Amino acid sequence: MKLKATLGEIEEDLLLKIEDGRVSAEIGDRVYSLDVREVEPDCYLFFLNAEVHECRVSASKNSFDVSIHGRSYAVTIIDPKRLRSGQNSDRHQHGVAEILAPMPGKVVRVQTEAGATVEKGAGVVVVEAMKMQNEMKSPRDGVVVSINVKPGDTVNAGDVLATIE
Amino acid sequence: MKLKATLGEIEEDLLLKIEDGRVSAEIGDRVYSLDVREVEPDCYLFFLNAEVHECRVSASKNSFDVSIHGRSYAVTIIDPKRLRSGQNSDRHQHGVAEILAPMPGKVVRVQTEAGATVEKGAGVVVVEAMKMQNEMKSPRDGVVVSINVKPGDTVNAGDVLATIE
Amino acid sequence: MFRKILIANRGEIAIRIIRTCRELGVRAVAIYSEADAESLHVRMADEAVCVGPAASNQSYLKIETIVAAAKEVNADAIHPGYGFLAESAEFARAVREAGLIFIGPSPEAMEIMGSKTSARRAAVEAGVAIVPGTVEPLASFEDASATAQKFGYPVMLKAAAGGGGKGMRLVAESGELRSAFETAQAEAAAAFGDSSLYLEKAVERPRHIEIQIFGDTHGSVVHLGERECSIQRRHQKVIEECPSPLNDPDLRRQMGEAAVKIGRAVNYTGAGTVEFLFSDTTHEFYFLEMNTRLQVEHPVTELVTGRDLVREQFRVATGEPLSFTQEDVDWQGHAIECRIYAEDPANNFFPSPGTITHLREPAGPGVRVDSGVTRLSEVSIYYDPMIAKLAVWGRTRDEAIDRLKRALDEYEVSGITTTLSFFREVVTDEEFISGRLDTGFITRFSERRASREVKTNQVETDLAVIAAALSYAMRQQQSAPQTSVMKSRWKIAARNAGLRKS
Amino acid sequence: MFRKILIANRGEIAIRIIRTCRELGVRAVAIYSEADAESLHVRMADEAVCVGPAASNQSYLKIETIVAAAKEVNADAIHPGYGFLAESAEFARAVREAGLIFIGPSPEAMEIMGSKTSARRAAVEAGVAIVPGTVEPLASFEDASATAQKFGYPVMLKAAAGGGGKGMRLVAESGELRSAFETAQAEAAAAFGDSSLYLEKAVERPRHIEIQIFGDTHGSVVHLGERECSIQRRHQKVIEECPSPLNDPDLRRQMGEAAVKIGRAVNYTGAGTVEFLFSDTTHEFYFLEMNTRLQVEHPVTELVTGRDLVREQFRVATGEPLSFTQEDVDWQGHAIECRIYAEDPANNFFPSPGTITHLREPAGPGVRVDSGVTRLSEVSIYYDPMIAKLAVWGRTRDEAIDRLKRALDEYEVSGITTTLSFFREVVTDEEFISGRLDTGFITRFSERRASREVKTNQVETDLAVIAAALSYAMRQQQSAPQTSVMKSRWKIAARNAGLRKS
């Protein structure tokens, strides 16, 4: 099957053939031929020549978190036949940076305001979680477009705390 | 729900009520009221007053292998409403004892023959498995009704090697 | 020995204590919050009592509820573990008044050491040097500012009731003082219900070295040597060693004697730890604080001295004398511990709660894991995100580091992000391997790390992509009608494809 | 140090060796049969080569295939582990001739010790006593019968090429001799391809005590003390200890010196074990045999001496001198190991292959697990049914036994039957605790066990019944149409039902 795979910034074409426990794959100009065992659901044991590589996958929709030799890689698979798009959110496409709450917590302080100019690394919002106060910093120089929280607010993972442009 | 449960020789009536994570059960004249958590599929954490008991169940049809505090118990559950019977095989009902191969192996020797009288503990068939020779002994005094294997035969777990009456 | 004890804690330390209970034939009673009903420490206990809702101040910090639970189940004693109520003299007193034994020091000793200011006073009286600083809590920001000027920057702000780095800030220059003062106060209030702070001159490139002491009710106080805990982030220890890489017997004797002096000064009983700041340049050491409880990092001392500290705590709490004298204590080899947190090193160590979908813990020679979780455990947002401690032992520090590398490589956790990847980098870091440590290590290491460009392994990333694609393909097959066939064919095929050219 | 080695084995010992490879930065190459492609030892290796079908004589015993594989992957050396080809001089020679290093002794030493008769000759020449018996293989049953008469019953029949209790029979009286002779010959032929037997006078209530020795290529041979391996069933060790419960330094020195003599006699290099029969009554010991390889039970020696024997094997194999002298060796505390087999103790220890559906291995202070399996591993019928070794360390034998009990209680294996339940009974047995052991222990223990009437715990059995009923109820709900609702209601309910009266 023909797929598109994205890892980090790089998107590549992927041609995959599965037969008799062997997988042949072409990624860009690189060609692989592997023996594969599915030792557990979503855990693949690859034999590349004599080399052994165990890959454990946790999947959600078509983004896959693959851990191999203790390192993990976030891979997105797109099946052109199914035209699944809109997957790579366009957050990074233009000049807006959102500051997200990485986990549930409570806002204790807001250190700037909409309209203010901030430098990369400047503190914007302080969130407390697990008794630990954590300063959310601006990822870049810019102007604060919006602050979406106030002290005392409870926030969930992924909530947009502020937007910098 | 009303069930019949067999553990070893004992069969008892079981009345089970499940609600709001509490289980009340009557087994014979014994009454239990428990908090239950299903910590994993088929793994139950019971709170009996303050006592904690974790039970892990592996089920096949309506016989259940339950392990609790490192000991395991073979329990059969019969739902009278469904009239599942024929579960307790009648092997032990009348005077015939079968000698079963407990696992796959190869028959190396047969030490008696049909018609012979054997004493309890007398060797009947020697099966080799994992390079280990194991003598299958007669479970009781009696007469050999049949020997179903010959040296060199490969046997699987559960095969009836011989019958003693 | 006790018949039954209640463990007023959760997670790995509760399990650590349960293990010693089992070994001594003591029944172990766990407590748990509603969020913890299915936690491993509950599952491993003989009995368990729910003490309230998830929030610790409504459960694990509820003195009356916990003492009542202990009475209810007829426990003889209560072990507080570390954190939560472990250093609450009020709790210790409540336990005593309920006619139960508190497995720890006297409330009086806890009170003296509980306030850092009175602790510093006690140290001075015992003739042990302290870091130049205020002995009284700071009255106000102005007070702080004036005092800082007096000692000269950099200075350290610390919570008087503090511990675990909460309410602690390093202030490099006057401009930073106000915001640091406010944040520290806020944290101190949140963590300890007491916002008072004190101030110290900051010792530069300091090593954090602590001494394990043990006292009994018959008046003997001994030490079990040092632990090096210089590797900290957010003033929290993440890697601890025994002995210190300095491995200097004279220094061990001097610091040990100083620690014992302080222990004697408060008639200390049970396990305690005296923390010192050691200056690598002057080789002077200053008393920092005393922790009147078992430490998170006690396993490294157990590995090197061969003594079970929890077992000894039980023994002392029953009124027996220590099972050993100072002369009996010896140190074999080297041990290192890593605290495995459910945190994302790539995102400023932010907590990463969730369900552990896969877990394989390392084992084999020289490896000890004290884990609070198992497969399918939930790591909740309510409590400290430490899920386990990995400790290794080797004949030498180098052998211990070899083992640590190996064990970290074996360690598999899926479903949550952990600090494992961070430790895998630390153990290959030249500065770590050299053993020239100080509390600034992680900052410097993180800078080195940031500057280092990451060279990705093309084959590895390609295999990751292929694995993802396979997983995708499997899903397509499963959702397709003829799934089962294809799936099973695949499985069978996979099973058959054994023979590899050799 | 080596760059890459091939491990000519499987299961836990392959993993044990892989761990030392990782710690030394040596690439580890596994071999596997078609039945083992998904085994843990393959998954943990850097590289792996399939050497043939499931049957060992077509895979793990294929000398040419294995040596070719090692060449193919450019390995520097081959570690044979134990069992399989570990004591095959032919294999060691083939490795040497292929220009690779065999991590073990010289083929010459292996040949002398490989035949028990020549080994006994060597011992006699080295001035070490042997059990009265034949020095030559028995010519025939008549020969056996005559010899047995000469020494007087009871006698022991043993396979000349033997090991692991295969082809070994205790014969109490003449009537039993013929069938024992035939079975032993058959087993010997099957196991070693050599049916020749020899005969020994049986020592009554003998202890099996062995000495770990180590030699290097520079002529030094040292010993690392004894292991007590008296607890055997079917002449296979199941529990081993270091030191022996006798813990007699003089005896250790005497046996150690005897073992070293034998080692020197064959210019022994690497790790080896000299087995003795020790008579509790006369306190005499007799040479039994020498195992020219790493033993299954080496972890107890590692725990008590603090030395990594596999690491030392690597070192010696590279031609370096031993890293320690006889004077450097010391012994701290006490270690005990249990071999966990996939066998059914309730059914004459019959192998119990299958899939491990659930696995939780013990951990924490003083516990070491060397496991060959993980969750979902298949235990196949093709190989030795040992799935793991549990070893514990304590300051004293009593502390070690406390730990062992605790660790056995923590150990959870589902899907197959194991010997865990058997060990849980052994560790509470008075005779075991007293340490008065001999090779007849298990027989006597089993009789005690049979006579003891089992008092079942009514509450426990009732809970088992309730759990089964719950599991049944869940299934009904799942198969019923309105399942999901009920199921989820149940789940939610279960989640909510947290608060317990305290």
Side-chain angles (χ1 to χ4, degrees):
Chain A
M1 64 208 301
K2 273 189 151 37
L3 301 167
K4 283 193 182 303
T6 318
L7 200 168
E9 310 302 279
I10 307 135
E11 168 166 321
E12 285 186 293
D13 291 325
L14 167 64
L15 179 63
L16 193 71
K17 285 204 212 67
I18 306 171
E19 56 185 41
D20 296 349
R22 284 192 73 77
V23 167
S24 37
E26 293 176 33
I27 306 177
D29 55 359
R30 304 179 300 282
V31 179
Y32 295 90
S33 173
L34 309 156
D35 279 351
V36 180
R37 298 299 190 110
E38 191 181 22
V39 292
E40 281 178 40
D42 265 338
C43 181
Y44 304 101
L45 189 64
F46 291 128
F47 296 91
L48 174 60
N49 308 321
E51 286 175 26
V52 180
H53 304 277
E54 187 168 307
C55 295
R56 198 169 281 277
V57 183
S58 13
S60 63
K61 284 205 247 84
N62 55 355
S63 56
F64 299 82
D65 192 346
V66 183
S67 101
I68 171 171
H69 302 309
R71 288 168 288 273
S72 36
Y73 302 95
V75 182
T76 312
I77 298 290
I78 292 148
D79 189 340
K81 285 215 310 297
R82 299 169 177 253
L83 291 167
R84 283 256 186 76
S85 72
Q87 281 302 332
N88 0 15
S89 123
D90 55 7
R91 182 175 308 140
H92 306 295
Q93 312 303 50
H94 55 74
V96 176
E98 293 174 333
I99 298 174
L100 306 180
M103 67 158 301
K106 197 159 117 297
V107 176
V108 277
R109 258 194 326 290
V110 173
Q111 297 162 297
T112 177
E113 57 191 37
T117 48
V118 288
E119 295 181 347
K120 181 162 195 272
V124 178
V125 176
V126 179
V127 177
E128 179 173 296
M130 292 175 172
K131 292 223 179 58
M132 199 66 69
Q133 296 205 356
N134 297 276
E135 193 172 53
M136 305 287 97
K137 299 185 166 56
S138 172
R140 49 141 76 185
D141 299 348
V143 176
V144 178
V145 180
S146 67
I147 300 277
N148 313 332
V149 293
K150 56 182 188 328
D153 288 1
T154 325
V155 293
N156 289 315
D159 289 359
V160 179
L161 306 174
T163 320
I164 314 293
E165 180 152 356
Chain B
M1 64 206 299
K2 273 188 150 40
L3 300 167
K4 283 192 181 302
T6 317
L7 200 168
E9 309 303 279
I10 307 136
E11 168 166 322
E12 286 188 290
D13 291 327
L14 167 64
L15 180 62
L16 194 70
K17 283 203 213 67
I18 306 171
E19 57 187 39
D20 296 348
R22 283 192 73 77
V23 167
S24 38
E26 294 176 31
I27 306 178
D29 56 359
R30 303 180 299 284
V31 179
Y32 295 90
S33 173
L34 309 155
D35 279 351
V36 180
R37 298 299 189 110
E38 190 181 21
V39 292
E40 281 177 43
D42 265 338
C43 180
Y44 304 102
L45 189 64
F46 291 130
F47 296 91
L48 174 60
N49 308 320
E51 286 175 27
V52 180
H53 303 277
E54 186 168 309
C55 296
R56 199 169 281 274
V57 183
S58 16
S60 64
K61 284 205 249 83
N62 55 356
S63 57
F64 300 81
D65 193 345
V66 183
S67 104
I68 170 171
H69 302 308
R71 288 167 288 274
S72 35
Y73 301 95
V75 181
T76 311
I77 298 290
I78 292 149
D79 189 341
K81 286 215 308 298
R82 300 171 177 252
L83 291 167
R84 285 255 187 77
S85 72
Q87 281 303 333
N88 4 12
S89 122
D90 55 7
R91 182 175 307 142
H92 307 294
Q93 311 304 51
H94 55 75
V96 176
E98 294 174 333
I99 298 175
L100 306 179
M103 68 157 299
K106 198 160 117 297
V107 175
V108 278
R109 261 197 320 290
V110 172
Q111 297 162 298
T112 176
E113 56 191 39
T117 49
V118 288
E119 294 180 346
K120 182 162 193 279
V124 177
V125 176
V126 179
V127 176
E128 178 173 298
M130 293 174 173
K131 293 222 177 58
M132 198 66 69
Q133 296 206 357
N134 297 276
E135 192 173 52
M136 305 286 99
K137 299 184 166 55
S138 172
R140 49 141 75 186
D141 298 348
V143 177
V144 179
V145 180
S146 68
I147 300 279
N148 312 334
V149 293
K150 57 182 185 333
D153 287 1
T154 325
V155 293
N156 289 314
D159 289 1
V160 179
L161 305 173
T163 320
I164 313 292
E165 180 150 355
Chain C
M1 187 41 62
F2 303 117
R3 212 186 68 275
K4 184 194 278 194
I5 72 155
L6 180 136
I7 299 160
N9 216 301
R10 65 182 299 282
E12 70 82 21
I13 191 60
I15 290 167
R16 167 68 186 88
I17 297 160
I18 288 171
R19 285 181 162 139
T20 289
C21 287
R22 290 245 190 293
E23 293 177 15
L24 293 171
V26 176
R27 263 180 89 77
V29 184
I31 62 171
Y32 62 98
S33 74
E34 288 167 31
D36 271 342
E38 298 180 17
S39 297
L40 189 57
H41 78 279
V42 175
R43 293 165 63 178
M44 287 181 72
D46 297 306
E47 301 179 23
V49 180
C50 183
V51 292
S56 357
N57 59 8
Q58 297 176 63
S59 50
Y60 294 107
L61 293 172
K62 277 270 187 207
I63 293 180
E64 320 67 34
T65 317
I66 293 169
V67 173
K71 300 285 285 181
E72 164 95 12
V73 298
N74 294 311
D76 307 316
I78 295 184
H79 195 306
Y82 55 71
F84 292 129
L85 296 169
E87 293 182 279
S88 158
E90 184 193 351
F91 181 55
R93 208 167 259 121
V95 172
R96 189 163 65 183
E97 280 157 9
L100 305 175
I101 291 172
F102 179 79
I103 301 177
S106 68
E108 295 70 23
M110 291 165 80
E111 266 157 352
I112 296 169
M113 292 302 163
S115 148
K116 293 201 181 179
T117 46
S118 64
R120 284 154 59 85
R121 246 184 266 107
V124 173
E125 285 157 15
V128 177
I130 63 171
V131 178
T134 56
V135 184
E136 295 305 328
L138 297 163
S140 64
F141 168 69
E142 291 62 31
D143 182 4
S145 167
T147 326
Q149 291 302 344
K150 191 173 93 224
F151 292 118
Y153 288 90
V155 297
M156 270 284 188
L157 284 173
K158 297 188 177 183
K166 282 152 191 171
M168 191 183 289
R169 287 289 184 282
L170 174 66
V171 187
E173 58 196 43
S174 57
E176 299 175 357
L177 186 61
R178 179 175 291 278
S179 88
F181 187 79
E182 284 165 0
T183 333
Q185 272 191 324
E187 255 183 43
F192 317 109
D194 171 1
S195 69
S196 55
L197 304 176
Y198 68 102
L199 184 146
E200 275 177 3
K201 172 126 188 66
V203 175
E204 313 226 26
R205 291 203 65 151
R207 282 177 186 261
H208 177 118
I209 298 180
E210 61 186 26
I211 299 286
Q212 175 71 54
I213 69 164
F214 235 109
D216 65 20
T217 52
H218 304 262
S220 40
V221 180
V222 301
H223 75 86
L224 288 91
E226 83 278 15
R227 288 182 294 256
E228 165 107 33
C229 309
S230 298
I231 301 187
Q232 311 187 347
R233 62 134 176 67
R234 294 199 199 117
H235 304 288
Q236 259 192 328
K237 302 163 187 169
V238 291
I239 299 181
E240 302 99 346
E241 308 188 30
C242 176
S244 160
L246 296 170
N247 199 8
D248 173 346
D250 292 344
L251 183 64
R252 180 173 304 128
R253 212 194 58 261
Q254 293 167 37
M255 295 181 89
E257 285 165 1
V260 167
K261 269 191 215 155
I262 289 172
R264 289 195 197 290
V266 294
N267 304 314
Y268 198 81
T269 55
T273 295
V274 181
E275 298 189 336
F276 295 98
L277 220 51
F278 175 87
S279 160
D280 234 354
T281 48
T282 66
H283 274 58
E284 288 168 314
F285 56 88
Y286 307 99
F287 170 80
L288 266 185
E289 62 174 299
M290 177 170 185
N291 299 313
T292 56
R293 52 163 164 89
L294 191 69
Q295 296 281 83
V296 175
E297 58 270 26
H298 73 278
V300 291
T301 299
E302 292 186 320
L303 285 167
V304 169
T305 62
R307 299 180 186 279
D308 181 331
L309 298 191
V310 176
R311 197 181 179 110
E312 199 69 24
Q313 281 186 301
F314 280 35
R315 180 185 169 93
V316 166
T318 58
E320 287 184 69
L322 282 170
S323 67
F324 56 91
T325 67
Q326 189 63 67
E327 293 59 46
D328 297 334
V329 181
D330 59 356
W331 297 269
Q332 302 276 338
H334 194 97
I336 308 178
E337 172 183 279
C338 292
R339 302 186 185 189
I340 315 300
Y341 287 93
E343 294 180 342
D344 184 357
N347 177 20
N348 182 37
F349 292 100
F350 221 87
S352 155
T355 303
I356 293 173
T357 53
H358 165 74
L359 180 66
R360 192 183 306 147
E361 289 162 343
V367 173
R368 166 177 168 180
V369 178
D370 286 88
S371 180
V373 296
T374 183
R375 185 173 160 274
L376 302 183
S377 286
E378 294 279 343
V379 179
S380 80
I381 63 166
Y382 300 108
Y383 314 109
D384 182 277
M386 189 178 79
I387 58 169
K389 301 181 308 200
L390 167 62
V392 297
W393 181 91
R395 291 193 69 75
T396 63
R397 185 168 187 265
D398 289 344
E399 191 176 301
I401 291 174
D402 292 342
R403 290 240 163 102
L404 185 55
K405 277 187 199 138
R406 187 268 291 176
L408 286 165
D409 287 342
E410 272 181 33
Y411 216 133
E412 299 177 11
V413 185
S414 307
I416 60 171
T417 308
T418 70
T419 48
L420 281 167
S421 56
F422 173 79
F423 290 123
R424 291 191 188 108
E425 294 184 40
V426 170
V427 292
T428 60
D429 180 74
E430 272 318 314
E431 191 181 340
F432 172 74
I433 292 167
S434 75
R436 289 187 313 277
L437 307 176
D438 68 64
T439 56
F441 172 83
I442 291 228
T443 315
R444 292 191 301 278
F445 170 75
S446 306
E447 283 155 8
R448 280 196 290 281
R449 196 158 152 255
S451 60
R452 209 186 309 129
E453 99 289 341
V454 223
K455 46 189 166 326
T456 52
N457 170 338
Q458 183 70 67
V459 172
E460 188 169 295
T461 51
D462 285 347
L463 290 175
V465 166
I466 294 169
L470 275 174
S471 174
Y472 176 83
M474 293 294 170
R475 277 174 180 63
Q476 298 313 313
Q477 289 182 8
Q478 274 151 3
S479 49
Q482 79 290 21
T483 310
S484 51
V485 191
M486 292 186 63
K487 173 82 173 168
S488 56
R489 184 160 62 66
W490 154 266
K491 288 292 285 186
I492 292 153
R495 302 246 169 283
N496 297 342
L499 193 65
R500 321 205 9 72
K501 78 179 203 314
S502 60
Chain D
M1 187 41 63
F2 302 117
R3 213 185 69 276
K4 183 193 278 193
I5 73 154
L6 180 137
I7 300 160
N9 216 302
R10 64 181 301 280
E12 70 83 21
I13 191 60
I15 290 167
R16 167 68 186 89
I17 296 159
I18 287 171
R19 285 179 162 140
T20 290
C21 287
R22 289 244 190 293
E23 294 177 14
L24 293 172
V26 176
R27 266 181 87 77
V29 184
I31 63 169
Y32 62 98
S33 73
E34 287 167 32
D36 271 342
E38 298 180 17
S39 297
L40 189 57
H41 79 280
V42 175
R43 293 165 64 178
M44 288 181 72
D46 297 305
E47 302 179 23
V49 181
C50 183
V51 292
S56 357
N57 59 7
Q58 297 175 64
S59 51
Y60 295 107
L61 293 172
K62 276 271 186 206
I63 293 180
E64 320 67 34
T65 317
I66 293 169
V67 173
K71 300 285 286 180
E72 165 94 13
V73 298
N74 294 309
D76 307 317
I78 295 184
H79 194 307
Y82 55 69
F84 291 129
L85 296 169
E87 294 181 278
S88 158
E90 183 192 351
F91 181 56
R93 207 166 261 121
V95 173
R96 188 164 65 185
E97 279 156 11
L100 305 175
I101 292 172
F102 179 79
I103 301 176
S106 68
E108 294 70 23
M110 292 165 80
E111 265 157 352
I112 296 169
M113 292 302 164
S115 148
K116 293 201 182 179
T117 46
S118 65
R120 286 154 59 86
R121 245 184 267 108
V124 172
E125 285 156 14
V128 177
I130 62 172
V131 178
T134 56
V135 185
E136 295 303 328
L138 297 163
S140 63
F141 169 69
E142 292 61 32
D143 183 4
S145 162
T147 324
Q149 290 302 344
K150 190 173 94 226
F151 293 117
Y153 288 91
V155 297
M156 271 284 188
L157 284 174
K158 297 187 176 183
K166 281 153 192 171
M168 191 184 287
R169 287 287 185 283
L170 174 65
V171 187
E173 59 196 41
S174 58
E176 298 174 359
L177 185 62
R178 179 175 293 278
S179 86
F181 188 79
E182 284 163 0
T183 333
Q185 272 190 325
E187 255 182 43
F192 318 107
D194 171 1
S195 69
S196 54
L197 304 175
Y198 68 101
L199 183 147
E200 277 176 0
K201 172 125 189 69
V203 175
E204 312 225 28
R205 291 202 66 150
R207 282 176 187 263
H208 176 118
I209 298 180
E210 61 187 25
I211 299 286
Q212 175 70 54
I213 70 164
F214 236 107
D216 66 20
T217 52
H218 304 262
S220 40
V221 180
V222 302
H223 75 85
L224 287 91
E226 83 278 17
R227 289 183 292 256
E228 165 108 33
C229 309
S230 297
I231 301 187
Q232 311 187 346
R233 60 134 176 68
R234 294 200 199 118
H235 305 290
Q236 259 190 328
K237 303 163 187 168
V238 291
I239 299 182
E240 302 99 346
E241 307 188 31
C242 175
S244 161
L246 297 170
N247 200 8
D248 173 344
D250 292 344
L251 182 64
R252 181 172 305 129
R253 211 195 59 261
Q254 292 167 37
M255 295 181 92
E257 284 165 1
V260 167
K261 268 191 215 156
I262 290 171
R264 290 195 198 289
V266 294
N267 305 314
Y268 198 81
T269 55
T273 295
V274 181
E275 298 190 337
F276 295 98
L277 220 51
F278 175 87
S279 160
D280 235 353
T281 47
T282 66
H283 274 56
E284 287 168 313
F285 56 88
Y286 307 99
F287 170 80
L288 266 185
E289 61 174 301
M290 176 170 185
N291 299 313
T292 56
R293 51 162 165 89
L294 192 68
Q295 296 281 82
V296 175
E297 58 271 25
H298 74 277
V300 291
T301 299
E302 293 186 321
L303 285 166
V304 169
T305 63
R307 298 179 188 279
D308 181 331
L309 298 192
V310 177
R311 197 181 179 109
E312 199 69 24
Q313 281 187 302
F314 280 34
R315 179 186 169 93
V316 166
T318 59
E320 286 184 69
L322 282 170
S323 66
F324 56 91
T325 67
Q326 189 64 67
E327 293 59 46
D328 297 333
V329 181
D330 58 355
W331 296 270
Q332 302 276 339
H334 194 97
I336 308 178
E337 173 184 278
C338 292
R339 301 187 186 188
I340 316 300
Y341 287 93
E343 295 180 339
D344 184 357
N347 177 19
N348 182 38
F349 292 100
F350 221 86
S352 155
T355 303
I356 293 174
T357 53
H358 165 73
L359 179 66
R360 192 183 305 146
E361 289 161 343
V367 173
R368 166 177 168 179
V369 178
D370 286 87
S371 180
V373 296
T374 184
R375 185 172 160 274
L376 302 184
S377 286
E378 294 279 342
V379 179
S380 80
I381 62 166
Y382 300 107
Y383 314 108
D384 182 277
M386 189 178 79
I387 58 169
K389 300 180 307 198
L390 167 62
V392 297
W393 181 92
R395 292 193 69 76
T396 63
R397 186 169 186 265
D398 289 345
E399 191 176 300
I401 291 174
D402 292 343
R403 290 240 162 102
L404 184 54
K405 277 187 198 138
R406 187 267 292 177
L408 287 165
D409 287 341
E410 271 181 34
Y411 216 133
E412 300 177 9
V413 184
S414 307
I416 59 170
T417 307
T418 70
T419 47
L420 281 167
S421 56
F422 173 79
F423 289 123
R424 291 191 187 107
E425 294 183 42
V426 170
V427 292
T428 59
D429 180 73
E430 273 317 315
E431 190 180 341
F432 172 74
I433 292 167
S434 75
R436 288 188 312 277
L437 308 176
D438 67 64
T439 56
F441 172 84
I442 291 227
T443 315
R444 292 191 302 277
F445 170 75
S446 307
E447 283 154 8
R448 280 195 291 280
R449 198 159 151 253
S451 61
R452 208 186 309 127
E453 99 289 343
V454 223
K455 47 190 165 323
T456 53
N457 170 337
Q458 183 71 67
V459 171
E460 187 168 298
T461 51
D462 285 346
L463 290 175
V465 167
I466 294 169
L470 274 175
S471 173
Y472 176 82
M474 293 294 169
R475 276 172 182 62
Q476 298 314 313
Q477 287 181 9
Q478 274 151 3
S479 50
Q482 79 290 21
T483 308
S484 49
V485 193
M486 293 185 63
K487 173 80 173 168
S488 56
R489 184 159 64 64
W490 153 266
K491 286 295 283 185
I492 292 152
R495 301 250 168 281
N496 298 342
L499 193 66
R500 321 206 8 75
K501 78 177 205 313
S502 60

